[in-house]
């Protein structure tokens, strides 16, 4: 269930609070994780290894998902991890994360990665971004309900709408792959 609002000529879909679980505003779980990069974080080229950045992204997103859902949440998928600029030793990396969208038991967390160069007095530069889907789980690892996210700003509402598009594409891609595999099996091909 969602509420529709007209915003700038477009219909804006924002989540309707579910009667049994009160919604939480986007700002309630937004975080920034900061880390100074060291030689231990580098790859063979001398820049920070992409896997190190991905770990920071997953850590920040997991903290946001746990905070929003009020308990444990596990990474279900990572979409669109983009590395825009290399990160160097000594750079101060800021990983900013927030819940963009919620379903019944899952959440999309958007993450922006910024870096402040150790030898420059310039503002932080965006060096990466990612979208992760987390599933809230109980003590037995079973899915549990999450509060709806309540976008607060126009940027939050835009992110919510974009997250819905990504979800639709994820589900359509998954269906298309399953259909292709079933067709190939019916034709006698094995994986």
């Amino acid at each position: 269930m969602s509420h529709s609002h007209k915003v700038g000529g477009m219909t804006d879909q924002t989540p309707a609070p579910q009667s049994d679980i009160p919604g939480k505003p986007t700002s309630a779980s937004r975080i920034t994780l900061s880390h100074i990069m060291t030689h231990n974080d580098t790859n063979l080229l001398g820049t920070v290894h992409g896997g190190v950045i991905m770990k920071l992204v997953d850590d920040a997103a997991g903290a946001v998902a746990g905070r929003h859902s009020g308990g444990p949440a596990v990474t279900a998928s990572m979409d669109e991890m983009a590395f825009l600029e290399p990160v160097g030793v000594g750079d101060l990396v800021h990983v900013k994360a927030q819940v963009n969208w919620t379903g019944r038991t899952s959440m999309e967390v958007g993450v922006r990665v910024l870096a402040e160069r150790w030898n420059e007095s310039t503002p932080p530069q965006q060096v990466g971004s990612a979208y992760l889907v987390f599933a809230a789980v109980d003590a037995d690892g079973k899915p549990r309900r999450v509060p709806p996210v309540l976008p607060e700003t126009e940027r939050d509402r835009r992110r919510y709408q974009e997250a819905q598009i990504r979800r639709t594409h994820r589900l359509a891609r998954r269906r298309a792959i399953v259909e292709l595999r079933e067709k190939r099996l019916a034709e006698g091909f094995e994986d």
Side-chain angles (χ1 to χ4, degrees), residues 10 15 19 26 35-36 62 71 82 86 96 98 105 112 119 131-132 134 159 161 164 173 177:
M10 293 177 24
S19 59
T26 307
H35 189 81
I36 296 174
K96 297 178 174 287
Q98 74 172 49
T105 62
R112 289 180 54 222
N119 58 349
Y131 300 99
L132 297 88
F134 278 79
R159 288 176 175 164
Q161 290 173 321
Q164 287 180 303
R173 183 177 59 231
I177 289 170

Side-chain angles (χ1 to χ4, degrees), residues 39-57:
H39 287 287
N40 292 334
D41 301 319
T42 60
N43 58 27
L44 296 175
L45 298 174
T47 57
V48 172
H49 195 287
V52 170
I53 300 297
M54 290 173 73
K55 171 79 165 82
L56 294 173
V57 164

Side-chain angles (χ1 to χ4, degrees), residues 16-39:
Q18 297 169 1
S19 59
D20 55 341
I21 301 178
K24 287 186 177 180
T26 307
S27 62
S29 58
R30 185 180 290 139
I31 69 156
T32 300
L33 172 71
S34 298
H35 189 81
I36 296 174
M37 298 292 103
T38 70
H39 287 287

